Amino acid sequence: MVMLKIILPFFVCLSAFSSTAIITKIVDGDTIHIKQDGKLLQIRFYCIDTPESKMVGKQKAQIIDGVNYGYLATQHLKKIISVGDNIDLKCFENDRYGRSVCEVWKDGLNINYLMIADGYAWLPYKYCKDIKYQYAFKSAKDGKLGLHANALS
């Protein structure tokens, strides 16, 4: 129970958000499409990276010993959020592909943080200096959670 008291403040937030939206598609473990104010937009999750589940440009799916790790990450995200869900967004910038880079929140929970803490996303240290994500990543890796349960991580 003590651990919960330490982690809980990192992914629950009661503050105001920059915008709200409806999920229209879950592309993979770190990208979704949304509808916001009548516009369709692509959202890249802030501070997380998940394996590709299919060939995207020059990036190949990460399949090791017949297991598609991108698919596993995407399926885990689909357990947390679904098409049609109302979400809150805290956006920071646009990436080189024109996607908005955002924290995604549902019912007061930081979905980005949950993906890292559950072990289904990696932390791109080069782009993410946020200590709460670093702590969650280390805890998931040390605990061999999610994708860390094998040699892929």
Side-chain angles (χ1 to χ4, degrees):
M1 190 58 97
V2 173
M3 184 67 144
L4 182 59
K5 289 180 183 178
I6 293 171
I7 293 175
L8 194 58
F10 287 136
F11 70 93
V12 175
C13 179
L14 302 176
S15 64
F17 293 89
S18 58
S19 59
T20 59
I22 297 173
I23 299 171
T24 60
K25 181 179 181 180
I26 297 172
V27 177
D28 58 26
D30 57 23
T31 306
I32 60 174
H33 292 176
I34 62 159
K35 186 171 187 179
Q36 180 183 56
D37 300 326
K39 298 177 190 171
L40 296 175
L41 302 169
Q42 295 180 16
I43 303 298
R44 173 69 159 84
F45 283 62
Y46 171 74
C47 268
I48 76 169
D49 190 27
T50 62
E52 297 301 330
S53 57
K54 57 188 175 199
M55 185 75 164
V56 178
K58 295 179 181 179
Q59 296 181 4
K60 295 181 181 177
Q62 291 182 323
I63 300 173
I64 299 173
D65 296 331
V67 178
N68 184 328
Y69 291 96
Y71 175 80
L72 294 178
T74 303
Q75 292 306 112
H76 187 72
L77 180 61
K78 288 180 177 181
K79 291 177 185 175
I80 302 170
I81 59 174
S82 302
V83 170
D85 283 352
N86 289 306
I87 56 170
D88 295 302
L89 300 170
K90 182 178 178 186
C91 298
F92 300 93
E93 61 187 351
N94 288 335
D95 69 7
R96 63 183 176 199
Y97 304 108
R99 300 174 295 187
S100 296
V101 178
C102 308
E103 282 185 332
V104 177
W105 296 76
K106 180 185 170 197
D107 300 329
L109 297 176
N110 180 334
I111 305 307
N112 308 45
Y113 181 87
L114 290 176
M115 287 293 288
I116 289 272
D118 291 348
Y120 285 91
W122 284 278
L123 182 74
Y125 283 99
K126 179 179 177 181
Y127 303 105
C128 184
K129 305 299 182 196
D130 192 319
I131 191 73
K132 72 178 173 276
Y133 289 103
Q134 293 176 3
Y135 174 77
F137 180 75
K138 183 176 182 335
S139 294
K141 189 171 182 178
D142 291 350
K144 299 191 182 304
L145 301 178
L147 303 179
H148 303 287
N150 57 60
L152 184 62
S153 57

